[in-house]
Amino acid sequence: MAVFLKMSVFLSYFVGLVMVGLVSSAKFDELFQPSWAMDHFIYEGELLKLKLDNYSGAGFASKSKYMFGKITIQIKLVEGDSAGTVTAFYMSSDGPNHNEFDFEFLGNTTGEPYLVQTNVYVNGVGNREQRLNLWFDPTNDFHSYSILWNQRQVVFLVDETPVRVHTNMENKGIPFPKDQAMGVYSSIWNADDWATQGGRVKTDWTHSPFIATYKGFEIDACESPVSMAAADTAKKCSSGGERRYWWDEPTMSELSLHQSHQLLWVRANHMVYDYCTDATRFPVKPVECEHHRH
């Protein structure tokens, strides 16, 4: 409810604009469908639970694809010893040259903090990992995880606090993901070859099933018809004439001063890995890292 209220207050700034796109209710079945292992889905009222055991994980996908907007899901992560497991929430387009924005929640041994890994793929190329620990225990209660995407930036948010920004720097010759519609996905699976302490800690199946719990599914974005060409979708989902989208408003083109301070706080206190500072992997610093202010 808190997230809904925040969104309502947020949208009140744009009263009078022609709002085009899809504004969700919070019901899973209206926006998503299981994509694999349907027998590992558990429905309990407004809650959806995905189960991982030594037979299978599970995943779901949005029924539509979108170009620009904001997606949010509230997740309560696997409790206890979740080492080796990964719960992912992400947007992705299709094909080898796909774009993708990832939240990956890396399981832990009991008492150790969860790590959140974010990544950005552009034209099929990723390797832009950042990792942070959270300022709360994500297994105790639900927290909202959001991705805001427009033509100027991609912002990853946790409880409305920005934890990462990927800025459009096409003026520096750096590609930016803005021409491919993306689906919304989530899944839980076993990744004990790398997820916890680089794969040194394996999944303890005596603690299974591992359960990730979801609620509050929100998509406020421009729906992309499957049959529409990419260039036409980009045009349809951009403001023009009388049609104006909230994500194209000037206030959405960069972080506010308050958000910038929040991001600096996150980076100073909770960032544990940033590909931009990994000289072993990248002896030559990735070009976008030279220009990113955050």
Side-chain angles (χ1 to χ4, degrees):
M1 181 59 71
V3 173
F4 176 77
L5 290 174
K6 286 178 186 175
M7 182 62 81
S8 298
V9 171
F10 176 71
L11 292 178
S12 70
Y13 288 111
F14 305 109
V15 170
L17 299 183
V18 179
M19 302 297 290
V20 190
L22 175 65
V23 180
S24 81
S25 73
K27 293 186 177 179
F28 173 82
D29 289 337
E30 294 180 7
L31 298 171
F32 296 94
Q33 58 194 7
S35 49
W36 53 287
M38 290 182 66
D39 60 345
H40 282 56
F41 282 68
I42 304 165
Y43 298 91
E44 293 181 0
E46 68 169 352
L47 303 182
L48 168 67
K49 297 183 176 184
L50 296 191
K51 179 173 69 172
L52 167 66
D53 56 27
N54 55 356
Y55 297 101
S56 180
F60 61 82
S62 58
K63 294 179 179 179
S64 299
K65 287 184 165 46
Y66 304 91
M67 182 89 79
F68 310 131
K70 184 179 182 183
I71 63 169
T72 299
I73 293 184
Q74 296 179 49
I75 309 174
K76 183 179 178 183
L77 293 171
V78 177
E79 297 180 39
D81 183 352
S82 56
T85 72
V86 173
T87 304
F89 169 47
Y90 61 103
M91 298 186 74
S92 181
S93 59
D94 299 326
N97 297 316
H98 74 294
N99 299 328
E100 186 174 327
F101 314 137
D102 295 335
F103 272 111
E104 292 178 312
F105 304 96
L106 312 184
N108 62 358
T109 53
T110 303
E112 295 294 314
Y114 248 89
L115 286 181
V116 180
Q117 176 169 286
T118 60
N119 202 355
V120 175
Y121 285 75
V122 185
N123 297 333
V125 179
N127 299 322
R128 297 180 177 90
E129 297 91 349
Q130 292 181 357
R131 290 186 181 185
L132 60 140
N133 55 47
L134 295 167
W135 50 97
F136 53 83
D137 183 346
T139 71
N140 278 346
D141 205 349
F142 290 93
H143 292 270
S144 67
Y145 303 93
S146 306
I147 299 170
L148 167 67
W149 174 35
N150 59 30
Q151 297 185 68
R152 302 292 297 276
Q153 60 180 356
V154 180
V155 185
F156 295 78
L157 303 113
V158 176
D159 290 336
E160 296 300 306
T161 296
V163 299
R164 179 174 187 166
V165 177
H166 186 81
T167 305
N168 185 334
M169 292 182 286
E170 289 177 307
N171 61 336
K172 307 287 188 182
I174 300 168
F176 182 79
K178 65 173 192 179
D179 60 354
Q180 299 180 38
M182 304 173 85
V184 183
Y185 304 89
S186 188
S187 57
I188 183 171
W189 78 94
N190 178 42
D192 67 4
D193 56 331
W194 65 271
T196 306
Q197 297 181 29
R200 289 189 296 273
V201 181
K202 301 301 183 182
T203 303
D204 183 348
W205 294 109
T206 65
H207 293 159
S208 69
F210 303 99
I211 304 289
T213 309
Y214 299 77
K215 69 175 184 177
F217 305 89
E218 299 179 42
I219 298 178
D220 188 351
C222 181
E223 190 170 3
S224 171
V226 175
S227 59
M228 185 174 285
D232 294 331
T233 297
K235 185 175 180 181
K236 169 185 181 288
C237 294
S238 302
S239 299
E242 295 181 357
R243 182 184 59 201
R244 297 171 67 187
Y245 294 101
W246 64 263
W247 53 81
D248 286 333
E249 290 300 300
T251 51
M252 295 291 104
S253 65
E254 60 184 6
L255 298 185
S256 68
L257 183 60
H258 175 62
Q259 288 176 318
S260 295
H261 289 160
Q262 287 180 311
L263 180 59
L264 288 171
W265 174 81
V266 169
R267 291 185 63 88
N269 294 283
H270 295 281
M271 179 81 69
V272 297
Y273 175 82
D274 182 1
Y275 77 105
C276 283
T277 60
D278 190 339
T280 302
R281 284 179 69 198
F282 303 102
V284 177
K285 184 176 284 193
V287 63
E288 70 265 20
C289 298
E290 300 286 353
H291 302 290
H292 262 301
R293 289 174 296 175
H294 302 297

